[in-house]
Amino acid sequence: MSSRKGLNGTCSVHEYTGTFAGQPVRFKMTSVCGHVMTLDFLGKYNKWDKVDPAELFSQAPTEKKEANPKLNMVKFLQVEGKGCDYIVLWLDCDKEGENICFEVLDAVLPIMNPTHGGEKTVFRARFSSITDTDICAAMARLGEPDHNEALSVDARQELDLRIGCAFTRFQTKYFQGKYGNLDSSLISFGPCQTPTLGFCVERHDKIQSFKPETYWVLQAKVNADKDRSLLLDWDRVRVFDREIAQMFLNMTKLEKEAQVEATSRKEKAKQRPLALNTVEMLRVASSSLGMGPQHAMQTAERLYTQGYISYPRTETTHYPENFDLKGPLRQQANHPYWADTVKRLLTEGINRPRKGHDAGDHPPITPMRSATEAELGSEAWRLYEYITRHFIATVSYDCKYLQSTISFRIGPEHFTCTGKTVISPGFTEIMPWQSVPLEESLPTCQRGDTFAVSEIKMLEKQTNPPDYLTEAELITLMEKHGIGTDASIPVHINNICQRNYVTVESGRRLKPTNLGIVLVHGYYKIDAELVLPTIRSAVEKQLNLIAQGKADYRQVLGHTLDVFKRKFHYFVDSIAGMDELMEVSFSPLAATGKPLSRCGKCHRFMKYIQAKPSRLHCSHCDETYTLPQNGTIKLYKELRCPLDDFELVLWSSGSRGKSYPLCPYCANHPPFRDMKKGMGCNECTHPTCQHSLSMLGIGQCVECESGVLVLDPTSGPKWKVACNKCNVVAHCFENAYRVRVSVDTCSTCEAALLAVDFNKAKSPLPGDETQHTGCVFCDPIFQELVELKHAASCHPMHRGGPGRRQGRGRARGRRPTVKPSARRPKDKMSALAAYFV
């Protein structure tokens, strides 16, 4: 076999010879990185300010475009697929995997060799684990990709896109335009995400409305022998009237003996667990391992791709009759933690797992080969250990124990004492946390025997409110009500955390924030179906019918969008109901933030609102200006923009990162055709402004194609040059007291020259010189003073990509600068690369 990297530098390609369909062939094996394509709106429909969100339900056209343009996945597949006669699809065997199959086919089929006489050229491999046995078995019985399952995913994607974007855009713009302390950059709505939040808020409401009640219990102790006493439970359990409880106490407290009324000894069994499916794995990972659902799912997927476990996305808890249970068990026979248990099971014979639910997708999650903590790392090991112990438990025997019960009478009242003795630990040997709790064995006695009463008292207690939902409890509710799939449940829970709708407290309990509570209460006030699980559950059933070929894709899509379009219009008309709740919990923009910079229209101070999304608000003009996120904002020397007279502000990602000035008005209303919303002065093409790209730009970035390296005039004495697209930063000329961009250009690479002035005492220049003008790329003196790094943090607006402005040089009629490597001798390029981190 030969291996190489594909043209995208990410996916490997392995080639080898073999036989296929009875003839010798040359195989080519490669991969994709998740979905090849993603669904999005066309052109103007992606611009929030130019489109009414109501249009997104039907009028807005959608297109499939590359999910990650930087990977060039379509071109990569076409290059590798050109000249091939057959394609065998080995994508994950679930609905998402089926959808990716057709994305791959759309890219590859047009450039494959033409078929001869209707010959079958597309095959689908179905497998549940990456082991040689499973792979060979899948290759021996190749099928076809399921178009209906792929269509059900297309339908879900389009529904979530259209419904989610319409509601999200409307409520985000409406509420962020009115309130300053929402502390969420996006007030999102999702057909699955919102009911998920609804469960959390419903529990919060129960806690808030809970009124504790006082109750009383009787507790008795009897002497079993000289050194031991038994604690007896009252058969009435509790009473809520103190006087009645006192009456029962008075009737019993003078009694000296407790008489045995009855005894019983029963052999009982604690059942071994059902085979493991995704939802149960996520529940245990959250409640026992302290791993969030999304992190647990990612860890399980990594274990699967490395061949340690079977496919981790399954709803099935039942092993097929022909499943080889002993094979995976033998893999564990020499493991230092459970070898003895496994060898005993293999010798004495395994117990057939309990009959669970067969969803018809994949077998339950099963360990496929042995591993140690040193191999996997601590996080992956903890999940692998649980999966393995669970599997061994499913083929072990039930735990058997003897339960003894003694019923006592003290005066007219009856009490009970219970004890348990383990007969055979069974599966609890491998899952000790499931073992029967150790209780004292009860003394041997019979009806009529008496025991001395050592104490009898009345205890006052209170009922307790329910606690906040744990992730495990939330997963159970989502599964019960059909919200999301086994694969998407972790994503929905993660979304409500990311949006600041809930916070994860100790014990992985989910506590709703003010914003989450107000949103859910607002949905209930306007249209409860937006937050109740019923409507999404019905949609999921329709999507499953598409996957089974029992429902028409277009009809389901059209009907569901029509329902939600009507709900959207009603929501917009009734938004005042939610707004009433918002104004009780949040402050208006005018009352939020602190004065920072002057508005160019009224020349009054605008307030800087630091809560997400950070922005400036002018209460006099009633205008709000969005700022770059994930950084700090401060006033920039009270300098003003020459176009609109707004005071400039300085955005910074930190001392080791990037910083640049920006005009609040220009960033929200780009003044030039080649500028996009959100750009700062380092991307502004104004020909004479001293802060613009035209005056401070040096040359094309050494890493990205579309970026320009721009001098940061605020960074001295630790001067920096930073790319205005990507997160490349060059630290240079430390201790220089002045650095300027010259009007002259380098004769070699056409980059702008820098004029640098040093203090004589700190000058690193040869011959004690204090001034030097040269090119940062080509000048050998400057090369020793420049160090390239990546910025400490990077906002999405800094990333380059298709569709961004392609100007590479400074705007003065000067020829575009080129990458230094294009015209520089190799020894100079390597000198610069040596500093690259």
Side-chain angles (χ1 to χ4, degrees), residues 664-724:
Y665 189 85
C666 292
N668 286 267
H669 306 91
F672 302 113
R673 195 173 296 173
D674 55 356
M675 287 182 67
K676 295 281 181 74
K677 195 171 179 179
M679 288 183 172
C681 297
N682 62 344
E683 295 184 78
C684 176
T685 51
H686 192 291
T688 58
C689 176
Q690 60 177 318
H691 318 292
S692 71
L693 170 67
S694 309
M695 300 298 288
L696 298 175
I698 297 168
Q700 184 177 334
C701 176
V702 295
E703 186 167 319
C704 71
E705 292 183 2
S706 57
V708 178
L709 291 173
V710 182
L711 175 68
D712 179 355
T714 69
S715 57
K718 296 183 178 182
W719 297 90
K720 287 184 283 191
V721 172
C723 176
N724 61 5

Side-chain angles (χ1 to χ4, degrees), residues 379-394:
E379 284 286 281
W381 161 253
R382 290 193 303 135
L383 187 62
Y384 171 84
E385 181 187 16
Y386 170 72
I387 291 168
T388 306
R389 287 183 182 274
H390 190 109
F391 168 69
I392 298 170
T394 61

Side-chain angles (χ1 to χ4, degrees), residues 4 7 28 74-83 111:
R4 57 182 169 81
L7 67 84
K28 191 184 283 188
V74 172
K75 186 178 179 183
F76 162 69
L77 290 171
Q78 289 175 342
V79 167
E80 300 302 337
K82 190 173 183 179
I111 48 84

Side-chain angles (χ1 to χ4, degrees), residues 8 71-72 80 95 110 127 152 244 285 370 389 416 434 447 472 516 539 544 626 662 679 684 695 743 795:
N8 61 9
L71 288 177
N72 287 317
E80 300 302 337
K95 290 172 189 171
F127 55 100
S152 74
I244 292 175
S370 185
R389 287 183 182 274
T416 306
Q434 292 276 15
R447 181 185 171 92
V539 171
N544 285 332
T626 303
L662 66 105
M679 288 183 172
C684 176
M695 300 298 288
V743 295
H795 185 256

